[in-house]
Amino acid sequence: MSQINPESVTEKNENEIASRDTQGLSQRQIIVKRFLKHKAAVASSITLIAIIILVYSSLGTKIGFGKFKMSIPGWWGFKITDIDPEGALANTCNGGVTGCPSLDLVPSFLDGDGIRFGSHPFGTDVIGTDYFALVMRGAQQSILVMLVVGTLGIVIGTIIGAIAGFFGGIVDAILMRVTDMFLVTPTIVIGAVIGFKFGNLGVLPLAVMLGLFAWMGLARFVRTEFLTLREREFVDAARVAGASDRRIIFKHILPNAMGIIIVVGTLLLSGAILAETALSYLGFGVRAPDVSLGLLISEYQGTFSISPWLFWWPGTLIVSIALCVNFIGDGLRDAFDPRQRRHISIKERKMAKELKGAKN
Amino acid sequence: MLVIVFGASFLAYNLQAFSSDPLSIFGESTEKNKGYLIAKMIRDLQLDVPPPIRYFSWLRGIVGGLWGDFDMGLTRTNLPVIEALGQAIPVTIKLVITSTFLAIILGISVGMITAIRQYSRFDYVITFISFLLFSLPIFWVAVLLKEFMAIQFNDFLANPTIPPLAIVIFSLIFGFIVAGFIGGKKNQFLAILAGAALFASALLIFASATNWFLEPALGIFGVTFLALINAVIVIQLISGLESKKGRTAGFGTALAIAILYYPLQALMTENSSFLTVVAIFAITIGVGIVIGYFVSSIDRRVYLRIGLFTALLSTGPIILDRFMREFPDYLNSDAIGGRPVPTLGQRNDLLTPEQIDNFWISGLDTAVHLVLPTIALTLISFAGYVRFSRGSLLEVLNMDYIRTARAKGLSERTVIVRHGMRNALLPLTTILVNDVAGLLGGAIITEGVFAWQGMGQLFNTALRSYDLNLFMGVFIIGATLTVFANFVSDLLYGVVDPRIRIRK
């Protein structure tokens, strides 16, 4: 019997274990399966959905435009304009500071108060505005900006990148110079100028304007992807079969470039929420009387030593949303990357060794 | 390249001109000479000229630089823009330079170590931390730092005894970091963790007992110890600790610098200046190179490098020690009043002229003002470098030439340092250069939060006071820097990576 190198057999068995997961599955199924394996990404998706549901259901929201506007009432009792001084006085802590959070998650056998939400779980500000309502409203605005900026950025970036990468030549040169032109300007600079003008018009115009200037990075990535993909055989085959340029771009190349679009797109989303909060913090974004998470932080940072909860809640919400989006992006990248080989755990390595023993 | 700057500036000029309305401040004015003021402003700012055309009158001033007629216009307060920029640029550079260096060095080293120990516990912890840092808004971090670092540290200095719980926590974190860096099997990991934690708690107890925080100093022992640690790291990276000549070069330099500690003190007097520091570095680096030179005549460059880097890194503690010795004076002076870490500003205006003239005191003053912004900026950009260097090294380690290097029997250290790290650093040059160019954007928020009067604040003022010339001044600096940085990174990439040739 010829000598078998035990190492190589182990590696082969490891490969078998790694590829066993993907046998007989379509590309989409493989991606979904890989994504579900990424525990942090799955947990983040659930958390993010929970946050969005909480935020939009608690205060209610408006859907549609013009005549077809529909108002969905929220289940929370206070609005951002309601003032409840009695409620603020009812919750005092730290030696007489009013408006403390009535939320208490420490069970009764530990500190005696028991789990309760109270009338103002996130506390109130100095004049008695319910802070839960303020934070929820701020989060609504921030999420809205994030989604609008993300969608616009992804759509515009994909189209420009696709056209530049597919047609090449003079079209590519012109489009990329334009992209560079926008790219040279720091995002926050463009954002500040736009926010300065459109911030007082409301959140949606601001988000749309920001979105119009958020596509540059994605366009570059998509272009590179298209440059390589358009040289592939399947594109030639499609062309020989008589497909139009538009059909080749949207039906043949775009699905193959979806991975990079989704991954860069999620980064765009998390960047957008941070950019919005930063702009609002600087005073160039959402303006009072409307609220956004950045605005809340900027407004209440001075009172940190007296009523720190006014600072903690919006910050925690920003960080959790951005963190969730980032983890989802990481999971998506792992799922879409074909070169990614699954990490083989110690247990499976043992299994591979046993397999080797069985075969010998 | 020039076309891009031209186009971008045209874009920015019009964006700003159309989005701002300087006359709006008169909207609710009830002054009698309102009409005259409006007319005057229109005349001063040429508001009757449409922005796209007005842009060219601004551009003329810039292009005028070609024949010595450079003009960036006046600000709304009648100060030449170039002067305002001249004051602001050094401030911004001072603000960002330390944090950039720290973030790059820490980020790359931590990122590469997580890549080497992929899927280890250390890797998971660092990955989570870097994601967390990635998601933090800088202004939020800044407020937290002000509250927890500055105010509580200042309170702590009033009575500098460290509570036992804090000692335990700090020691465990320190132990985990050290053990994570060194790595190894579970038992070894725990042993290193315990050793480092014990060492840290001993240091902290010592510091607490001797009021070290009020009268900090490294002393000859601290300097020697740090120099030896630097030597270990440098030797391990360049030649490997098993090389006898490498050890001679590294440890020799470290000890020589320890011996130089007392003679160098004579150089660092009250009349010292920045040149003194440069001179000290020149002396120690000279010593390091001489030692490296005489260690061996074969492979001389390796030992020269060991000597040079050990000297470079080990001189830091000597300078730091000298700054620390001024700390009690600084702390107890009237301007400070025992609360050294400020939350705002870039310098203390209450310092006496003698104190400002003293290089060490004014340096210390700058340093304490830099502490918070530097930590905030470092934390934020650290995460990016960790992610990038980790990904980059992982990609390189999967290459065929790494397998070849292992197959021909090179030690793991040589494979990773020589073949892996060097190639992994290539794509990082691009990111690094772009990052440096993008610092202006980051500075806008940081300067706002910490009240530094740099480029970011200038931009802020320009936007709020509808100051188009000032706005364009800040913008053109940023844009030129970015375009230039891209150009440099393209060139640099071609130089460091021979596989890439710039296409014509």
Side-chain angles (χ1 to χ4, degrees):
Chain A
M1 199 177 120
S2 66
Q3 228 180 352
I4 299 167
N5 180 359
E7 276 301 309
S8 79
V9 172
T10 315
E11 193 176 313
K12 197 168 150 247
N13 287 332
E14 281 177 4
N15 278 334
E16 267 171 27
I17 287 181
S19 63
R20 193 185 294 158
D21 298 340
T22 54
Q23 272 166 14
L25 294 176
S26 74
Q27 183 72 22
R28 186 169 302 174
Q29 284 168 319
I30 294 174
I31 289 170
V32 171
K33 197 167 178 188
R34 280 225 193 103
F35 183 78
L36 291 179
K37 277 248 164 63
H38 199 296
K39 286 190 203 104
V42 176
S44 300
S45 315
I46 297 170
T47 318
L48 188 64
I49 292 171
I51 289 178
I52 290 179
I53 291 176
L54 170 74
V55 159
Y56 279 95
S57 71
S58 58
L59 276 198
T61 183
K62 290 193 183 88
I63 299 177
F65 292 96
K67 268 188 196 166
F68 307 103
K69 216 166 206 167
M70 196 171 72
S71 243
I72 300 174
W75 47 263
W76 187 244
F78 293 95
K79 286 203 267 312
I80 57 168
T81 43
D82 290 350
I83 297 170
D84 178 21
E86 293 85 23
L89 283 175
N91 294 303
T92 53
C93 60
N94 296 340
V97 182
T98 57
C100 293
S102 56
L103 180 71
D104 193 348
L105 290 180
V106 189
S108 50
F109 54 84
L110 281 178
D111 79 336
D113 277 355
I115 299 175
R116 65 193 167 94
F117 287 98
S119 54
H120 298 287
F122 285 11
T124 63
D125 70 0
V126 188
I127 53 168
T129 322
D130 179 52
Y131 207 55
F132 183 78
L134 278 177
V135 171
M136 288 302 130
R137 176 71 183 159
Q140 279 188 4
Q141 307 293 44
S142 297
I143 292 174
L144 180 73
V145 172
M146 175 177 93
L147 292 179
V148 171
V149 171
T151 320
L152 274 176
I154 291 172
V155 170
I156 301 176
T158 307
I159 292 174
I160 289 187
I163 293 174
F166 183 77
F167 293 106
I170 185 90
V171 182
D172 180 30
I174 292 175
L175 281 178
M176 278 303 110
R177 286 302 82 75
V178 173
T179 312
D180 281 346
M181 232 145 76
F182 281 99
L183 213 56
V184 159
T185 330
T187 324
I188 193 103
V189 172
I190 299 183
V193 174
I194 296 169
F196 197 66
K197 174 75 176 174
F198 293 95
N200 44 8
L201 292 184
V203 182
L204 203 59
L206 175 79
V208 170
M209 286 307 289
L210 282 178
L212 292 181
F213 290 92
W215 48 269
M216 290 82 77
L218 187 78
R220 280 193 147 186
F221 278 106
V222 174
R223 170 182 170 266
T224 327
E225 195 73 6
F226 264 66
L227 279 178
T228 45
L229 284 175
R230 69 164 186 185
E231 307 294 335
R232 298 270 290 273
E233 290 83 358
F234 65 87
V235 176
D236 291 340
R239 187 163 289 131
V240 170
S244 66
D245 281 346
R246 212 173 71 186
R247 189 176 168 82
I248 294 178
I249 292 180
F250 287 106
K251 285 273 170 185
H252 295 270
I253 304 187
L254 201 59
N256 284 293
M258 223 48 211
I260 191 100
I261 294 174
I262 290 179
V263 170
V264 181
T266 43
L267 284 183
L268 191 67
L269 285 178
S270 74
I273 192 164
L274 290 183
E276 185 275 328
T277 49
L279 282 178
S280 301
Y281 177 83
L282 287 175
F284 297 133
V286 177
R287 310 275 170 83
D290 213 337
V291 289
S292 103
L293 294 178
L295 194 65
L296 285 177
I297 292 182
S298 122
E299 232 167 78
Y300 294 115
Q301 59 176 333
T303 58
F304 187 91
S305 46
I306 308 162
S307 34
W309 62 91
L310 296 179
F311 174 82
W312 282 114
W313 289 116
T316 317
L317 220 59
I318 296 176
V319 175
S320 5
I321 295 173
L323 192 62
C324 286
V325 175
N326 274 331
F327 267 120
I328 294 172
D330 194 48
L332 285 173
R333 189 182 52 209
D334 281 1
F336 275 101
D337 190 355
R339 283 172 306 174
Q340 176 85 19
R341 248 193 66 194
R342 200 160 64 79
H343 170 50
I344 307 212
S345 67
I346 297 166
K347 200 172 137 200
E348 279 164 337
R349 194 154 286 169
K350 268 186 199 148
M351 264 169 62
K353 284 219 172 93
E354 277 161 22
L355 265 177
K356 179 198 82 183
K359 273 184 187 168
N360 278 358
Chain B
M1 215 168 81
L2 274 176
V3 178
I4 295 173
V5 178
F6 168 76
S9 62
F10 184 73
L11 189 83
Y13 193 93
N14 288 302
L15 203 62
Q16 158 72 346
F18 280 117
S19 69
S20 66
D21 180 14
L23 293 178
S24 64
I25 54 166
F26 296 116
E28 287 158 19
S29 162
T30 50
E31 282 179 58
K32 278 176 201 153
N33 55 354
K34 186 174 167 184
Y36 166 74
L37 286 175
I38 291 179
K40 183 171 180 296
M41 185 182 268
I42 290 179
R43 200 183 65 234
D44 285 352
L45 300 179
Q46 297 179 304
L47 291 181
D48 45 349
V49 184
I53 300 170
R54 223 186 318 152
Y55 167 76
F56 287 96
S57 70
W58 174 83
L59 187 69
R60 205 213 135 269
I62 301 291
V63 179
L66 291 177
W67 54 87
D69 186 17
F70 190 68
D71 181 19
M72 290 178 106
L74 299 173
T75 66
R76 292 286 299 279
T77 46
N78 278 330
L79 187 80
V81 168
I82 190 105
E83 218 166 272
L85 287 177
Q87 286 169 4
I89 291 174
V91 175
T92 299
I93 292 179
K94 201 156 80 175
L95 179 72
V96 295
I97 199 158
T98 330
S99 64
T100 314
F101 269 113
L102 271 179
I104 290 171
I105 294 170
L106 287 178
I108 291 182
S109 44
V110 171
M112 294 207 159
I113 286 167
T114 53
I116 296 168
R117 307 196 203 303
Q118 196 188 9
Y119 302 128
S120 67
R121 222 164 285 125
F122 184 70
D123 181 28
Y124 284 125
V125 172
I126 294 291
T127 304
F128 181 77
I129 291 177
S130 66
F131 267 111
L132 188 66
L133 294 178
F134 226 59
S135 321
L136 289 178
I138 189 161
F139 51 92
W140 199 65
V141 178
V143 177
L144 285 186
L145 282 176
K146 282 182 187 181
E147 189 62 29
F148 289 109
M149 287 282 301
I151 296 175
Q152 302 215 348
F153 183 75
N154 287 340
D155 288 346
F156 160 77
L157 273 190
N159 176 26
T161 39
I162 312 171
L165 186 67
I167 293 186
V168 172
I169 293 173
F170 276 121
S171 308
L172 282 180
I173 293 175
F174 180 76
F176 180 78
I177 293 172
V178 172
F181 261 72
I182 298 174
K185 291 262 158 54
K186 197 170 187 179
N187 285 339
Q188 195 193 344
F189 184 88
L190 288 176
I192 297 171
L193 197 155
L198 275 179
F199 175 73
S201 36
L203 264 191
L204 285 176
I205 291 169
F206 173 76
S208 174
T210 53
N211 274 350
W212 188 84
F213 286 99
L214 288 180
E215 292 167 354
L218 291 175
I220 179 111
F221 293 110
V223 169
T224 318
F225 181 71
L226 287 176
L228 287 176
I229 290 201
N230 284 333
V232 170
I233 295 171
V234 171
I235 299 169
Q236 176 65 11
L237 278 180
I238 295 179
S239 77
L241 271 176
E242 62 282 349
S243 148
K244 196 180 168 206
K245 284 172 183 164
R247 287 202 306 260
T248 320
F251 292 131
T253 311
L255 288 177
I257 283 170
I259 294 168
L260 277 175
Y261 174 76
Y262 284 112
L264 283 178
Q265 297 296 322
L267 269 178
M268 298 186 283
T269 60
E270 279 155 27
N271 303 319
S272 323
S273 67
F274 187 65
L275 280 179
T276 321
V277 177
V278 176
I280 289 173
F281 268 101
I283 293 172
T284 52
I285 288 176
V287 169
I289 289 179
V290 168
I291 291 180
Y293 185 85
F294 284 110
V295 162
S296 167
S297 53
I298 311 160
D299 252 355
R300 195 163 260 162
R301 281 178 57 192
V302 173
Y303 306 110
L304 279 181
R305 273 215 304 273
I306 293 183
L308 186 137
F309 282 112
T310 312
L312 193 68
L313 290 174
S314 309
T315 313
I318 296 188
I319 311 276
L320 186 69
D321 178 66
R322 184 66 183 81
F323 274 115
M324 281 178 168
R325 285 178 192 282
E326 293 292 340
F327 189 72
D329 280 352
Y330 179 75
L331 183 66
N332 296 322
S333 61
D334 294 339
I336 309 303
R339 301 186 71 82
V341 184
T343 53
L344 286 176
Q346 58 206 35
R347 76 176 86 80
N348 193 321
D349 295 325
L350 299 172
L351 288 181
T352 57
E354 297 95 69
Q355 282 177 319
I356 292 173
D357 283 341
N358 185 327
F359 173 75
W360 306 106
I361 295 257
S362 59
L364 207 55
D365 187 53
T366 312
V368 292
H369 282 92
L370 267 175
V371 169
L372 294 189
T374 303
I375 295 178
L377 282 172
T378 311
L379 283 180
I380 302 289
S381 43
F382 168 77
Y385 285 111
V386 170
R387 299 302 299 160
F388 265 112
S389 52
R390 179 177 182 272
S392 172
L393 185 59
L394 279 180
E395 194 141 305
V396 169
L397 288 181
N398 277 330
M399 293 280 177
D400 287 342
Y401 59 77
I402 294 290
R403 195 183 335 181
T404 314
R406 285 203 176 113
K408 72 182 182 189
L410 293 180
S411 71
E412 188 64 17
R413 188 197 65 78
T414 321
V415 172
I416 287 172
V417 176
R418 289 259 179 94
H419 299 248
M421 281 187 188
R422 282 197 183 178
N423 287 304
L425 282 175
L426 294 180
L428 279 168
T429 48
T430 329
I431 295 152
L432 203 146
V433 172
N434 280 333
D435 239 41
V436 172
L439 283 174
L440 175 66
I444 293 177
I445 302 172
T446 323
E447 283 176 14
V449 181
F450 290 108
W452 280 54
Q453 301 300 321
M455 296 280 281
Q457 284 295 83
L458 221 53
F459 175 80
N460 225 327
T461 334
L463 210 56
R464 284 179 205 279
S465 61
Y466 311 107
D467 198 332
L468 205 47
N469 282 335
L470 188 59
F471 172 83
M472 286 311 288
V474 178
F475 176 83
I476 202 84
I477 299 273
T480 321
L481 198 67
T482 314
V483 171
F484 185 69
N486 272 320
F487 181 64
V488 170
S489 88
D490 284 352
L491 284 185
L492 208 66
Y493 214 98
V495 173
V496 292
D497 188 349
R499 285 171 302 183
I500 290 170
R501 288 278 161 258
I502 294 165
R503 272 174 294 155
K504 287 195 182 123

